[in-house]
Amino acid sequence: MDISEFDRLVIGLAEFVRRDGKYPYPELLRHALNKLALEITAVPYPRTLTGLLALLEKPVKTWYPKRLIAKEFDSDFGLLYEGGLSEEANRYFYEEIIARTKLPDYATAVTQEIAIENLHFQRILSHLQESYNNDNEPEIVQREYILLRRFLIENRYPTTAQIRKVFLKTKYIKNEEVGNLYEDCEIEELYWDCDRCGPLFKKYGQLRGIKPSVCNDHRQSLPYVKKITWQHGLRHLKFGIHLRICLPGIPEIRLFEILAELQRKFPQQLCSVHLYPGIDRYDLQLCFCDQTTWAVDIKDYQSPYKLAPKLTPLFGEGDLRYDESFYVIPIERLQQTENYLEILREQAAKLPSGTHLLSDAVFEERVINKIERLREGNS
Ligand SMILES: [Zn+2]
């Protein structure tokens, strides 16, 4: 058993879950489980499938051989959660395995397919970035990027006609490219969407979301749970796009809307709020009337330990220059893990000490305070 056995297990499970747990099990998973049966010593190897699935839900560090756990995986979490990949396993699979430029050669067709899905978005993005840097109409490229990004965050179930209508006249984005980020819904099938976490799926007769650690109540009567009725040409977001673009985008757009509202109310103090400036160099840029500029990036990670290595100084050249920079964490995350921000600060070695780390609620307060100060100064 070499170090990549862990990745084999994760890939095998990802494929298993994608096939909805149907037989036959992916070859890779069977292989990984056979190896696991030989290696596991911390607990007795389960005799039944139910027992095995229950084990795979437990924190990895309690049963998996420690020396074989990938260092990028947070072993406080399990691999499965309620019949799907756990949030951490999903993150690891998409961010650490799929995002590698070269997939391991044992990755099978299903994983290759997921990687290609992911590439579709990357390709549009790099084309836009290139045009932004080399073209003489960066404003148009920027506008189209925001149009696409917001569309993917807000339209989880569009029709083909809707996609075509929105991207009919875009100069840098083809509507077929956007179509590639969605797949057809099954005819007459009922679909569900959650305002807070996107498309839902049914598991054991109940609606489940992709992010159970913060959004786990999906009773059909709740106002944020929406029923999607099938209609001709209905499509749904591909899983990888849901996980990597739509889901992290929800708190970004939420904060943007709040700030845009403040900007409308106090245009004399808060001159502008830009979303994804410079084709997503960071999430938000706030320009105040005293010529100061704030740069903001929103990061929604369950574990501060996994987030810390991703925190680097925000890009600040040219129009993206800023006076203060902020990494903003949705408050739900801070409520779940004690001392989240302290851990994050301590672990984020690459981050200059001037960068602020705070919750979305506290950030909003800071903006309001700044506006108040500027109003007082003017009077
Ligand atoms: Zn939800």
Side-chain angles (χ1 to χ4, degrees):
M1 196 169 187
D2 59 22
I3 194 75
S4 66
E5 279 309 321
F6 185 79
D7 285 4
R8 281 180 204 251
L9 181 60
V10 174
I11 294 177
L13 287 171
E15 299 192 349
F16 171 69
V17 165
R18 203 164 162 101
R19 294 175 41 91
D20 226 6
K22 289 192 192 93
Y23 286 101
Y25 293 159
E27 183 65 27
L28 201 65
L29 179 60
R30 256 187 303 158
H31 170 91
L33 290 175
N34 289 341
K35 287 271 190 171
L36 183 64
L38 299 175
E39 279 287 334
I40 206 167
T41 52
V43 294
Y45 191 78
R47 288 157 183 246
T48 61
L49 178 63
T50 322
L52 179 63
L53 294 176
L55 180 69
L56 292 165
E57 291 203 3
K58 295 206 169 97
V60 165
K61 67 176 182 193
T62 61
W63 55 273
Y64 197 84
K66 274 203 179 56
R67 67 196 158 85
L68 300 173
I69 302 173
K71 68 175 188 327
E72 297 87 1
F73 187 90
D74 191 334
S75 60
D76 282 331
F77 299 96
L79 291 172
L80 295 182
Y81 182 79
E82 294 190 332
L85 280 192
S86 70
E87 276 178 61
E88 177 60 8
N90 257 329
R91 187 202 64 77
Y92 180 78
F93 178 67
Y94 279 88
E95 267 183 27
E96 310 292 347
I97 298 179
I98 293 291
R100 278 176 209 158
T101 36
K102 193 178 173 299
L103 279 176
D105 49 14
Y106 54 78
T108 57
V110 182
T111 303
Q112 302 284 3
E113 193 187 299
I114 298 171
I116 289 167
E117 278 175 23
N118 198 44
L119 273 183
H120 283 311
F121 182 78
Q122 292 309 323
R123 243 180 251 142
I124 305 177
L125 183 64
S126 26
H127 173 60
L128 288 174
Q129 279 165 337
E130 227 168 84
S131 313
Y132 183 87
N133 294 330
N134 304 326
D135 246 66
N136 32 22
E137 36 187 33
E139 303 82 17
I140 299 178
V141 184
Q142 174 68 19
R143 210 182 316 136
E144 292 191 0
Y145 173 72
I146 294 173
L147 182 76
L148 172 69
R149 185 78 181 255
R150 280 198 81 148
F151 189 87
L152 295 174
I153 297 165
E154 292 168 345
N155 296 274
R156 296 87 182 244
Y157 295 94
T159 59
T160 313
Q162 214 178 329
I163 299 175
R164 200 178 305 137
K165 197 173 156 203
V166 173
F167 296 95
L168 185 69
K169 289 191 180 143
T170 44
K171 191 169 168 187
Y172 295 89
I173 302 168
K174 297 192 189 81
N175 78 62
E176 311 84 74
E177 290 178 317
V178 183
N180 277 336
L181 309 174
Y182 290 88
E183 56 193 303
D184 290 334
C185 289
E186 307 263 348
I187 296 174
E188 299 300 337
E189 189 67 47
L190 199 54
Y191 288 87
W192 295 89
D193 189 44
C194 169
D195 288 347
R196 301 169 179 185
C197 69
L200 302 172
F201 50 95
K202 265 208 164 129
K203 210 90 214 189
Y204 313 128
Q206 287 196 4
L207 292 173
R208 306 277 181 199
I210 197 174
K211 197 164 103 174
S213 65
V214 286
C215 195
N216 205 20
D217 187 359
H218 294 111
R219 280 169 293 151
Q220 298 177 7
S221 56
L222 290 166
Y224 54 87
V225 175
K226 307 269 164 66
K227 187 196 280 184
I228 310 290
T229 320
W230 188 81
Q231 56 171 313
H232 186 73
L234 189 72
R235 317 202 78 204
H236 67 87
L237 265 188
K238 286 184 175 171
F239 185 80
I241 304 297
H242 176 196
L243 185 77
R244 301 202 62 194
I245 312 292
C246 170
L247 190 65
I250 295 170
E252 293 161 6
I253 296 295
R254 188 173 59 198
L255 186 60
F256 171 71
E257 294 290 2
I258 291 170
L259 298 170
E261 183 59 36
L262 282 171
Q263 198 275 323
R264 278 191 290 272
K265 257 187 174 156
F266 304 106
Q268 307 285 331
Q269 287 76 32
L270 180 53
C271 311
S272 62
V273 180
H274 295 292
L275 186 60
Y276 308 129
I279 314 287
D280 202 22
R281 287 297 195 146
Y282 46 82
D283 291 334
L284 298 164
Q285 186 188 51
L286 283 71
C287 302
F288 294 94
C289 70
D290 64 352
Q291 311 293 324
T292 52
T293 301
W294 289 5
V296 184
D297 217 39
I298 296 142
K299 292 276 184 232
D300 186 9
Y301 274 65
Q302 196 169 8
S303 156
Y305 293 98
K306 292 300 127 184
L307 172 56
K310 317 262 173 205
L311 299 187
T312 52
L314 297 180
F315 181 86
E317 285 170 34
D319 292 345
L320 298 167
R321 181 204 70 79
Y322 53 80
D323 302 289
E324 306 260 357
S325 60
F326 300 82
Y327 272 111
V328 170
I329 322 291
I331 193 155
E332 303 92 293
R333 295 304 188 189
L334 270 49
Q335 288 159 346
Q336 280 172 337
T337 305
E338 216 178 321
N339 302 325
Y340 188 107
L341 291 176
E342 288 77 5
I343 299 168
L344 193 58
R345 168 58 64 198
E346 201 179 273
Q347 299 286 318
K350 283 178 271 177
L351 203 61
S353 58
T355 310
H356 307 280
L357 303 176
L358 34 71
S359 73
D360 46 5
V362 171
F363 179 72
E364 218 182 298
E365 256 168 55
R366 290 253 182 126
V367 176
I368 293 171
N369 288 342
K370 168 103 182 164
I371 290 174
E372 287 299 324
R373 276 203 311 279
L374 290 170
R375 290 185 74 193
E376 283 160 18
N378 284 345
S379 58

